[in-house]
């Protein structure tokens, strides 16, 4: 292998040379941004009068072929092809007379020296030989323009260079001269060198420079040696120290502050270089500003504000423990404003505490986090924009956060407390659990405990008061509804506390846990355990009481801020392209902002046209590919065409590129979202500002009411479809766009999503363990062919490596929750496809849990019997694997419903017959009574029943009674469904005999007393 410096044009010159791109190389794929960077570099060579410019390396293997020399390009084909396109553009434009030279016929010179071999056969003239599909597109660039391949990247980039040349920012002679100054390292392989191994080596591992390393080199290498040392010692070493050597991450946040756009971590150097060149200030001034912000950055990393306020430092520490970094650009500006004397220390403290509350409330309410980056990126600018001052900064800050909607919202007390009360706290990620219990233990006292350190060192653990596995003693103390209480309350906040003695407490009874000399609640030094220690038992009443107390305290710990600030001018309502749930029906757009540049528009169609054209100018290959492709894997091809007449009302985006205009606002949003994915653009960057045509609160309430009304309609249909699986038994109408159901596996669920332009089913894998989620997804994905063959459709498979959860989805497009005429179709879609997807996926996850499947199958058969038997009234919403519940008309006549007086089952009826299925091989039916909220007349009937059918727990002040149960019937595995139904029919005969006997005895008793 030999390597040497060479001029690029010298490498490309030679009539007998051919430059072959081997078939194992990828197609030509440089984008506009790459071509633009090359053209800008060439302009700088001209403007700065540079002698040379390094253009990278080209690695080739020389293969003689008769009188020709073939250079097989191992590395560098993208650069070589791009320069060829630029030279070809000069050649063609000068040939057409659109460009002129003072140096003679440079077009023909370029053609014969670098592009063609003038004396070769016609099919061998072009010296560059790309891979086959690119070769055909390149050949057409030598012919008539109407024959060009508009979908090819070569054609698109050729047109880009033509456009640049015709702007004549530099003369064609100067540009040609600049191309001549491009230098490469030409690496030529010897005949014995293994081209494949070298190709792999060039494209494999190596300790690459970080973005911070590149920035350091960029800043210092252009300085004289003596100044390099001074700048390094005075600035760079301090920046490295303050950032814990994560200079790349720091400068990413610094650029976010300065430009209000967050670059990707792999693009920080390029963006910083462009920024440094654009601001045109001395390098030392730039370094001084970087050092200043690095000192603010250090405060966030070290959790030491230097402002002599322990509460602020504690808040910094808590946010650090939560690993929250998205707030950094905003918090850096807050610290700067403090240093500039515009914010007091108390102001800074309040801002940090409210930020902490905002983030934690959102986490508890499962608000998507994708909006946070843009919110905190622009928050300081938004606050200052209200009146162009930092006056009343905190009040404006609160107003700005409270005014956020949808995925940016600050959850209200109602939403927050409802979510916290029912959330499975024990299954939250460890950092959030630690944070939550530290706050409950230490809030409001200066006698704090080092909860974090004790949890880190396993001195403290999170304890279930009611244990994870119920002992017989616990079952007895919880009563007849022990299983329901346990499944509902086990992992909720009210049943959890901190202890240093978890192994000692374990599954002991509550009294033993309370009174244990070592680690008992009475002996505990933790504030959280003081009230627990005063309880005589631990059941539903105690759980509800503690829940109420802790939820009330949570609104103090994470208080919702208030402000009296009102902007002088009413702010536009706004949303981003990412806000799928924002209702745009009937709303008019005033302006939009894309990447922090605002543009007034007259209509949604106007905005749509602007954005699509902007995206197209960034990369013409996307729409060209859609317009000319016959691949219908995406339905976007329906809205993009190369022929105007193919569309109902076409917007001309470019020559032979048309996009449909005649679509609804919601469909325009859907098209843009899908285009943003193809362009790798962030939908949060596109912000819509809406005209004030309706009261926002009314609009929001209208959305919630609409969703609740739809789910009220749809839930019975969905429940009916899932009656055997019971996935949605406990579902109630919600104001959310998502209805979730269980699938019988912890951490997995099936979601029905109702939106304004589509419906969707999501099979969500969201266990607490990220690794486990990905493993489960991979198991399912390995059966993708079988699953999709069974369903007859293609699903959307999202492993989502950047997220904790993974999911599998199926859509129904062009259907809207806003159109009640669509509701039947939408509800049937939700019912049918949620059931189909569960049926298709679950068998691949349940093979290792045969006993669980057996019990679930038994429960399904029992539930089906209640549905089909004419003498019983099924209640799937209150049934589970252990208890299948129903009522009868005869018993309801004796024990009527009590409206607005919910029973222990939270129903109007205060009795149930329960089919008890504990082991799956034998079942019985029992008659259960609940006294909760019952009126005196009902309780009197219960006492009379107890006289004839004595309940084991018939004591005074009872909560549950079981006055009657049938014999146990065998339902062994070898019985068919019909045979099991016969066994259940025997039990219902016993029930009916019991009812007749009870009615007779009650009637006689009433006559006797009369």
């Amino acid at each position: 292998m030999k390597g040497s410096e060479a001029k690029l044009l010298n490498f490309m010159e030679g009539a007998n040379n051919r430059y072959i791109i081997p078939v194992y190389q990828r197609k030509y794929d440089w984008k506009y941004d790459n071509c633009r960077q090359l053209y800008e570099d060439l302009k700088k060579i001209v403007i700065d009068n540079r002698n040379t410019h390094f253009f990278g390396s080209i690695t080739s293997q020389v293969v003689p072929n008769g009188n020709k020399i073939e250079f097989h390009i191992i590395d560098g084909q993208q650069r070589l092809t791009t320069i060829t396109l630029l030279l070809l553009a000069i050649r063609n434009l000068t040939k057409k007379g659109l460009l002129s030279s003072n140096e003679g016929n440079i077009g023909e010179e370029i053609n014969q020296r670098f592009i063609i071999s003038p004396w070769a056969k016609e099919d061998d003239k072009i010296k560059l030989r790309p891979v086959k599909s690119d070769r055909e597109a390149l050949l057409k660039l030598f012919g008539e323009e109407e024959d060009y391949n508009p979908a090819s990247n070569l054609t698109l980039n050729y047109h880009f260079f033509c456009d640049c040349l015709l702007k004549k920012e530099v003369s064609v002679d100067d540009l040609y001269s600049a191309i001549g100054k491009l230098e490469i390292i030409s690496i030529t392989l010897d005949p014995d060198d293994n081209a494949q191994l070298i190709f792999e080596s060039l494209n494999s591992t190596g300790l690459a420079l970080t973005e911070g390393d590149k920035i350091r080199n960029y800043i210092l290498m252009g300085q004289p040696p003596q100044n390099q040392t001074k700048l390094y010692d005075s600035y760079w070493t301090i920046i490295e120290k303050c950032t814990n050597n994560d200079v790349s991450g720091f400068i990413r946040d610094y650029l976010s502050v300065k430009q209000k756009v967050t670059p990707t971590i792999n693009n920080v150097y390029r963006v910083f270089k462009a920024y440094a060149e654009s601001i045109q200030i001395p390098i030392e001034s730039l370094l001084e500003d970087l050092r200043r912000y690095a000192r603010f950055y250090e405060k966030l990393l070290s959790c030491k504000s230097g402002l002599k306020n322990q509460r602020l430092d504690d808040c910094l520490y808590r946010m650090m423990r939560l690993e929250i970094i998205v707030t950094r650009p905003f918090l850096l500006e807050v610290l700067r404003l403090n240093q500039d004397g515009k914010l007091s220390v108390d102001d800074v403290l309040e801002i940090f505490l409210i930020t902490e509350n905002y983030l934690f409330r959102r986490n508890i309410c499962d608000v998507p986090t994708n909006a946070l980056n843009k919110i905190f990126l622009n928050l300081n600018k938004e606050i200052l924009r209200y009146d162009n001052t930092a006056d009343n900064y905190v009040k404006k800050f609160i107003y700005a956060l409270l005014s956020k909607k949808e995925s940016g919202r600050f959850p209200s007390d109602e939403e927050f407390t409802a979510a916290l009360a029912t959330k499975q706290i024990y299954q939250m990620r460890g950092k959030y659990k630690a944070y939550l219990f530290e706050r409950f233990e230490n809030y409001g006292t200066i006698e704090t405990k080092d909860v974090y350190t004790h949890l880190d060192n396993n001195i403290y653990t999170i304890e279930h008061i009611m244990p994870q596995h119920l002992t017989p003693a616990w079952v007895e103390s919880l009563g007849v509804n022990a299983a329901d209480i346990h499944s509902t309350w086990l992992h909720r906040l009210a049943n959890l506390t901190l202890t240093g003695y978890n192994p000692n407490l374990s599954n002991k009874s509550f009294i033993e846990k309370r009174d244990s000399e070592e680690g008992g609640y009475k002996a505990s030094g933790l504030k959280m355990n003081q009230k627990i220690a005063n309880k005589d038992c631990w059941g539903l009443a105690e759980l509800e009481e503690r829940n109420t107390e802790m939820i009330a305290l949570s609104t103090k710990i994470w208080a919702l801020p208030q402000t009296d600030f009102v902007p002088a001018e009413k702010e536009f309502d706004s949303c981003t392209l990412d806000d799928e749930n924002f209702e745009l029906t009937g709303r008019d757009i005033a302006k939009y902002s894309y990447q922090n540049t605002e543009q007034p528009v007259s209509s949604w169609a106007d905005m749509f046209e602007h954005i699509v054209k902007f995206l197209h100018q960034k990369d013409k290959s996307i729409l060209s590919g859609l317009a000319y492709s016959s691949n219908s894997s995406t339905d976007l091809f329906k809205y993009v065409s190369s022929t105007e007449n193919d569309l109902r009302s076409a917007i001309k985006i470019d020559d032979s590129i048309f996009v449909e205009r005649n679509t609804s606002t919601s469909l325009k949003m859907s098209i843009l979202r899908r285009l943003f994915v193809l362009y790798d653009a962030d939908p949060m960057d596109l912000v819509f500002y809406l005209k004030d045509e309706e009261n926002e609160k009314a609009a929001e309430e209208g959305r919630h009411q609409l969703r609740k009304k739809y789910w009220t309609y749809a839930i019975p249909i969905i429940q009916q479809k899932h009656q055997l699986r019971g996935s949605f038994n406990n579902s109630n109408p919600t104001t959310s766009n998502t209805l979730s159901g269980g699938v019988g596996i912890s951490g997995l669920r099936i979601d029905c999503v109702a939106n304004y332009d589509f419906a969707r089913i999501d099979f969500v894998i969201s266990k607490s363990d990220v690794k486990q989620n990905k493993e489960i997804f991979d198991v399912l994905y390995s059966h993708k062919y079988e699953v999709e063959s069974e369903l007859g459709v293609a699903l959307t498979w999202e492993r989502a490596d950047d997220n904790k959860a993974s999911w599998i989805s199926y859509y129904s497009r062009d259907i809207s929750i806003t159109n009640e005429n669509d509701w039947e179709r939408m509800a049937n879609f939700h019912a049918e496809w949620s059931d189909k997807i569960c049926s298709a996926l679950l068998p691949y996850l349940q093979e290792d849990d045969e006993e669980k499947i057996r019990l679930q199958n038994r429960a399904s058969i029992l539930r089906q019997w209640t549905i089909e038997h004419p003498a019983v009234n099924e209640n799937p919403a209150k049934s589970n694997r252990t208890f299948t519940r129903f009522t009868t008309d005869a018993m309801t006549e004796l024990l009527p419903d009590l409206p607005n007086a919910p029973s222990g089952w939270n129903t109007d009826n205060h009795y149930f017959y329960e089919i008890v299925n504990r082991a799956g091989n034998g079942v019985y039916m029992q008659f259960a009574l609940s006294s909760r909220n019952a009126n005196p007349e009902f309780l009197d009937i219960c006492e009379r029943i107890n006289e004839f059918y004595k309940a084991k727990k018939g004591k005074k002040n009872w909560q549950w009674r079981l006055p009657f149960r049938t014999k146990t019937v065998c339902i062994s595995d070898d019985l068919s469904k019909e045979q099991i139904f016969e066994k259940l029919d025997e039990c219902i005969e016993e029930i009916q005999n019991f009812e007749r006997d009870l009615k007779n005895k009650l009637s006689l008793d009433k006559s006797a007393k009369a």
Side-chain angles (χ1 to χ4, degrees):
M1 186 191 304
K2 302 181 183 67
S4 61
E5 294 180 11
K7 296 289 187 183
L8 174 63
L9 291 185
N10 290 346
F11 176 78
M12 296 176 66
E13 190 169 12
N16 292 329
N17 292 352
R18 300 293 184 274
Y19 303 94
I20 312 298
I21 310 301
V23 293
Y24 57 77
Q25 295 273 23
R26 67 182 186 271
K27 290 175 63 177
Y28 176 67
D29 66 356
W30 263 29
K31 305 298 183 187
Y32 269 26
D33 282 347
N34 306 110
C35 296
R36 185 179 291 108
Q37 184 64 54
L38 169 61
Y39 201 80
E40 290 300 317
D41 287 342
L42 292 170
K43 284 165 54 181
K44 286 179 182 177
I45 292 172
V46 174
I47 295 168
D48 297 343
N49 197 26
R50 298 179 187 174
N51 292 321
T52 62
H53 181 84
F54 181 60
F55 193 48
S57 62
I58 296 179
T59 304
S60 61
Q61 188 169 42
V62 179
V63 180
N65 182 4
N67 65 342
K68 294 181 291 188
I69 301 174
E70 293 185 352
F71 291 79
H72 289 237
I73 306 300
I74 310 302
D75 185 59
Q77 69 125 326
Q78 304 289 331
R79 290 185 288 274
L80 186 60
T81 304
T82 304
I83 286 295
T84 299
L85 292 174
L86 176 55
L87 292 171
L88 184 58
I90 295 173
R91 175 252 200 198
N92 286 349
L93 292 176
T94 54
K95 185 177 180 180
K96 293 177 181 178
L98 299 175
L99 289 178
S100 59
S101 166
N102 296 322
E103 302 293 334
N105 192 351
I106 66 167
E108 191 57 30
E109 177 187 337
I110 287 172
N111 189 47
Q112 299 208 20
R113 288 180 63 188
F114 309 116
I115 298 178
I116 69 165
S117 179
W119 302 285
K121 294 179 181 179
E122 196 63 34
D123 62 354
D124 189 36
K125 280 185 178 293
I126 302 174
K127 293 163 65 174
L128 179 67
R129 295 271 185 86
V131 295
K132 186 177 179 182
S133 57
D134 287 342
R135 191 182 314 160
E136 294 169 354
L138 178 63
L139 178 61
K140 290 182 178 181
L141 296 178
F142 288 83
E144 297 299 322
E145 190 167 346
E146 55 264 29
D147 296 327
Y148 291 177
N149 180 355
S152 169
N153 235 26
L154 281 89
T155 308
L156 295 170
N157 289 346
Y158 167 81
H159 280 309
F160 171 82
F161 286 129
C162 287
D163 292 342
C164 291
L165 289 163
L166 291 173
K167 291 177 183 176
K168 300 180 181 179
E169 295 170 314
V170 294
S171 72
V172 67
D173 295 327
D174 287 340
L175 190 70
Y176 180 40
S177 175
I179 296 171
K181 295 177 181 179
L182 295 177
E183 288 191 347
I184 61 169
I185 298 295
S186 176
I187 302 172
T188 307
L189 306 189
D190 294 328
D192 295 335
D193 290 333
N194 188 315
Q196 178 60 27
L197 289 178
I198 290 171
F199 175 76
E200 291 176 359
S201 174
L202 289 167
N203 292 277
S204 61
T205 59
L207 189 59
L209 292 175
T210 68
E211 298 297 285
D213 292 334
K214 296 175 188 176
I215 291 168
R216 178 196 62 225
N217 294 350
Y218 165 74
I219 290 175
L220 299 179
M221 287 177 68
Q223 302 296 311
Q226 291 178 336
N227 203 34
Q228 285 181 10
T229 302
K230 174 197 168 190
L231 296 177
Y232 182 79
D233 291 340
S234 301
Y235 299 101
W236 198 261
T237 56
I238 296 171
I239 292 169
E240 289 180 331
K241 172 181 171 294
C242 290
T243 62
N244 282 345
N245 291 309
D246 181 19
V247 178
S248 303
F250 158 65
I251 293 185
R252 184 180 190 228
D253 286 333
Y254 176 82
L255 290 169
S256 299
V257 170
K258 296 298 182 178
Q259 297 189 304
K260 301 298 180 286
V261 176
T262 301
T264 61
I265 194 63
N266 294 326
N267 208 25
V268 168
Y269 164 65
R270 187 182 68 81
V271 176
F272 177 84
K273 182 180 176 184
Y275 169 72
E277 291 174 354
S278 68
I279 58 175
Q280 297 183 336
I281 63 172
I283 284 295
E284 188 161 1
S285 299
L286 177 58
L287 282 169
E288 189 173 344
D289 196 50
L290 281 167
R291 183 179 64 183
R292 183 190 187 199
Y293 275 89
R295 295 194 192 280
F296 301 144
Y297 198 79
E298 182 180 29
K299 296 175 188 288
L300 301 180
L301 296 183
S302 66
C303 309
K304 296 178 180 177
S305 64
L307 300 178
K308 299 179 181 178
N309 189 301
Q310 188 59 47
R311 288 184 66 202
L312 176 57
D313 292 351
D314 291 344
C315 179
L316 282 169
Y317 181 73
R318 291 193 299 269
M319 293 176 71
M320 182 273 291
R321 292 291 305 223
L322 289 176
E323 301 173 9
I324 294 170
I325 62 174
V326 72
T327 58
R328 283 179 182 168
F330 171 66
L331 298 179
L332 288 171
E333 287 291 77
V334 171
L335 293 173
R336 177 187 63 79
L337 289 169
N338 167 257
Q339 192 178 84
D340 290 346
K342 295 180 179 178
L343 292 178
S344 68
V345 175
D346 287 341
D347 289 338
V348 174
L349 172 62
E350 190 171 358
I351 291 166
F352 274 69
L353 289 174
I354 291 171
T355 301
E356 177 187 4
N357 291 2
Y358 173 64
L359 294 169
F360 185 68
R361 280 184 174 235
R362 289 169 55 88
N363 176 267
I364 290 296
C365 296
D366 293 322
V367 182
T369 59
N370 54 341
L372 290 177
N373 179 54
K374 293 298 185 294
I375 287 173
F376 285 104
L377 196 64
N378 294 296
L379 190 52
N380 180 59
K381 175 183 174 183
E382 182 179 350
I383 293 165
L384 298 177
R385 192 177 59 186
Y386 288 130
D387 56 9
N388 297 315
T389 74
D391 298 343
N392 299 312
Y393 191 92
V394 176
K395 291 183 177 182
K396 291 187 290 188
F397 162 67
I398 295 170
Y399 177 85
L401 286 186
L402 291 179
S403 65
K404 304 298 177 192
K405 306 297 180 187
E406 297 292 347
S407 61
R409 69 184 182 275
F410 202 135
S412 65
D413 281 343
E414 181 182 5
E415 182 183 6
F416 173 62
T417 55
L420 185 59
T422 57
K423 196 174 184 69
Q424 301 292 296
I425 297 295
Y426 190 74
Q427 295 177 342
M428 289 172 64
R429 295 175 67 182
K431 62 184 181 181
Y432 285 104
K433 283 191 291 188
Y435 169 81
L436 184 146
F437 283 99
E438 188 280 333
R439 289 285 71 215
F440 271 112
E441 178 62 27
N442 287 330
Y443 176 77
T445 179
I446 60 173
E447 297 176 345
T448 57
K449 300 286 194 301
D450 193 355
V451 174
Y452 278 122
T453 301
H454 288 334
L455 284 171
D456 289 344
N457 296 329
N458 291 322
I459 295 172
Y460 285 173
T461 56
I462 295 170
E463 144 86 349
H464 289 82
I465 304 170
M466 172 179 58
Q468 296 198 59
H469 303 288
L470 292 182
T471 63
W474 270 101
V475 172
E476 183 177 359
S477 68
L478 290 172
V480 65
N481 220 27
D484 285 350
I485 295 171
H486 188 257
S487 64
T488 300
W489 290 91
L490 177 63
H491 296 318
R492 287 188 182 180
L493 179 62
N495 191 49
L496 302 174
T497 190
L498 288 171
T499 181
Y501 298 90
N502 207 337
N504 294 356
L505 303 178
S506 187
N507 291 343
K508 289 180 179 178
S509 69
F510 176 74
I511 299 303
E512 291 174 311
K513 288 188 174 192
R514 184 192 68 185
D515 297 341
S516 175
E517 292 184 5
E518 186 176 8
Y521 301 137
K522 284 187 175 180
S524 175
L526 290 165
K527 184 177 68 171
M528 288 189 72
N529 295 329
Q530 292 173 1
K531 287 192 175 182
I532 303 172
N534 293 326
K535 299 298 178 186
D536 294 325
C537 60
W538 196 257
L540 182 60
E542 290 73 26
L543 286 163
E544 290 176 339
E545 179 185 348
R546 187 165 187 257
N547 182 66
T548 300
E549 292 174 352
M550 297 189 80
I551 295 305
L553 179 58
S554 72
T555 61
K556 296 179 181 178
I557 300 175
W558 297 283
L560 185 70
Q562 304 294 326
T563 182
D564 58 5
F565 173 77
V566 177
E569 294 184 11
K570 190 178 185 310
E571 294 289 295
F572 283 110
D573 294 337
S574 65
C575 65
T576 71
L577 182 60
D578 198 52
D579 291 330
E580 293 188 18
N581 297 329
F582 200 99
E583 176 56 83
L584 294 174
T585 302
R587 304 299 303 272
D588 290 331
I589 186 171
K591 60 182 178 179
Y592 71 87
S593 170
Y594 186 55
Q595 295 181 338
N596 292 309
T597 300
E598 291 188 357
Q599 174 66 46
V601 286
S602 59
S603 66
W604 289 107
D606 194 14
M607 175 280 303
F608 181 77
E609 181 175 348
H610 286 196
I611 294 298
V612 174
K613 285 182 175 178
F614 179 85
L615 293 173
H616 183 64
Q617 290 305 313
K618 295 285 286 183
D619 183 352
K620 293 193 175 184
S621 66
I622 304 296
L623 290 182
S624 299
L626 289 170
Y628 290 93
S629 174
S630 58
N631 181 4
S632 59
S633 60
T634 171
D635 61 358
L636 277 174
F637 81 97
K638 295 188 296 187
Y639 308 108
V640 184
S641 178
S642 60
T643 306
E644 184 175 5
N645 292 336
D646 287 347
L647 305 175
R648 289 175 296 174
S649 175
I651 303 171
K652 184 177 181 180
I653 303 299
D654 205 341
D655 291 339
S656 299
I657 303 290
F658 300 92
V659 173
E660 180 62 67
R661 180 199 304 270
N662 189 14
T663 56
S664 66
T665 301
S666 61
L667 184 52
K668 286 183 176 70
M669 298 301 106
S670 178
I671 293 170
L672 285 177
R673 289 185 193 110
R674 283 174 277 173
L675 285 176
F676 269 53
V677 171
L678 296 178
Y679 281 94
D680 195 25
D682 188 347
M684 291 294 297
D685 283 340
L686 179 55
V687 183
F688 308 121
Y689 296 94
L690 310 176
K691 294 178 181 178
D692 183 25
E693 292 190 353
E694 60 188 60
N695 183 278
E696 178 59 28
K697 183 178 179 181
E700 186 172 355
E701 289 176 353
R703 284 196 300 275
H704 290 173
Q705 290 170 2
L706 178 68
R707 292 169 185 164
K708 194 165 187 177
K709 186 177 178 183
Y710 168 71
W711 291 123
T712 301
Y713 170 83
I715 285 174
I717 299 171
I718 298 169
Q719 286 177 334
Q720 178 68 23
K721 193 67 178 177
H722 286 264
Q723 60 187 5
L724 300 183
R725 185 179 294 107
S727 295
F728 294 90
N729 280 357
N730 296 315
S731 296
N732 292 305
T734 174
T735 59
S736 171
N737 70 328
T738 301
L739 184 77
S740 297
V743 297
I745 301 175
S746 175
L748 275 63
R749 68 178 191 271
I750 187 77
D751 286 354
C752 298
V753 181
N755 267 357
Y756 299 97
D757 53 359
F758 66 82
R760 188 177 73 232
I761 303 298
D762 293 333
F763 186 89
V764 183
I765 307 162
S766 185
K767 289 179 174 285
S768 57
D769 186 337
V770 176
K771 182 180 177 184
Q772 192 177 4
N773 290 336
K774 305 313 170 189
E775 289 172 349
I776 293 172
F777 178 88
D778 292 341
V779 168
L780 293 174
Y781 192 78
S782 69
H783 297 283
K784 179 176 184 285
Y785 174 78
E786 299 99 301
V787 169
E788 294 185 344
S789 296
E790 177 184 340
L791 294 173
V793 298
L795 303 178
T796 301
W797 300 75
E798 294 286 355
R799 195 173 193 271
D801 290 333
D802 293 336
N803 292 341
K804 181 177 79 170
S806 299
W807 57 92
I808 301 160
S809 303
Y810 182 57
Y811 288 79
S812 177
R813 303 287 184 183
D814 298 332
I815 189 171
S816 175
I817 192 176
T818 61
N819 183 0
E820 290 196 31
N821 292 329
D822 284 349
W823 282 10
E824 181 180 1
R825 188 158 57 100
M826 183 178 276
N828 288 332
F829 168 80
H830 282 142
E832 178 182 354
W833 282 97
S834 59
D835 180 60
K836 281 184 176 181
I837 288 173
C838 284
S839 298
L841 296 177
L842 288 175
Y844 299 108
L845 302 178
Q846 295 174 328
E847 294 172 357
D848 297 331
D849 198 350
E850 294 181 2
E851 178 62 15
K852 187 174 182 181
I853 298 170
R854 190 176 72 83
L855 292 174
Q856 189 65 49
N857 289 341
R858 281 288 179 268
S860 295
I861 293 173
L862 301 180
R863 201 171 295 136
Q864 189 172 354
W865 177 84
T866 66
I867 293 167
E868 295 183 11
H869 200 289
V872 306
N873 305 310
E874 76 277 6
N875 193 319
K878 296 302 176 183
S879 298
N880 53 42
R881 197 176 69 190
T882 304
F883 296 101
T884 303
R885 296 187 169 98
F886 64 88
T887 61
T888 67
D889 292 342
M891 187 53 70
T892 301
E893 184 180 344
L894 295 176
L895 295 172
D897 290 353
L898 303 177
N900 303 317
S903 68
W905 297 286
N906 200 29
T907 59
D908 289 345
N909 55 293
H910 283 59
Y911 83 92
F912 267 121
Y913 287 111
E914 299 175 327
I915 308 175
V916 183
N917 168 42
R918 296 195 186 277
N921 49 21
V923 301
Y924 58 86
M925 297 184 188
Q926 64 185 20
F927 175 52
L929 292 167
S930 167
S931 67
R932 187 179 183 189
N933 295 320
N935 59 30
E937 291 80 8
F938 183 91
L939 295 175
D940 181 60
I941 297 173
C942 292
E943 292 305 318
R944 292 165 61 199
I945 293 173
N946 199 52
E947 293 175 14
F948 305 118
Y949 290 90
K950 202 75 173 177
K952 289 184 179 179
K953 297 182 180 179
K955 62 184 180 180
K956 194 174 182 181
N957 298 325
W958 59 277
Q959 294 186 18
W960 304 95
R961 277 184 181 172
L962 297 172
F964 173 81
R965 60 170 279 183
T966 69
K967 66 182 180 183
T968 299
V969 294
C970 175
I971 54 169
S972 56
D973 291 343
D974 58 344
L975 293 183
S976 67
K977 182 180 76 171
E978 290 72 20
Q979 290 171 317
I980 293 174
F981 276 20
E982 290 175 4
K983 298 283 188 180
L984 296 173
D985 288 344
E986 294 175 18
C987 291
I988 199 63
E989 286 183 19
E990 281 193 67
I991 293 286
Q992 289 169 335
N993 290 335
F994 158 70
E995 289 177 340
R996 284 191 290 268
D997 181 63
L998 178 61
K999 183 177 182 180
N1000 185 47
K1001 286 177 177 177
L1002 289 174
S1003 178
L1004 291 173
D1005 180 59
K1006 185 175 181 182
S1007 299
K1009 289 182 177 179

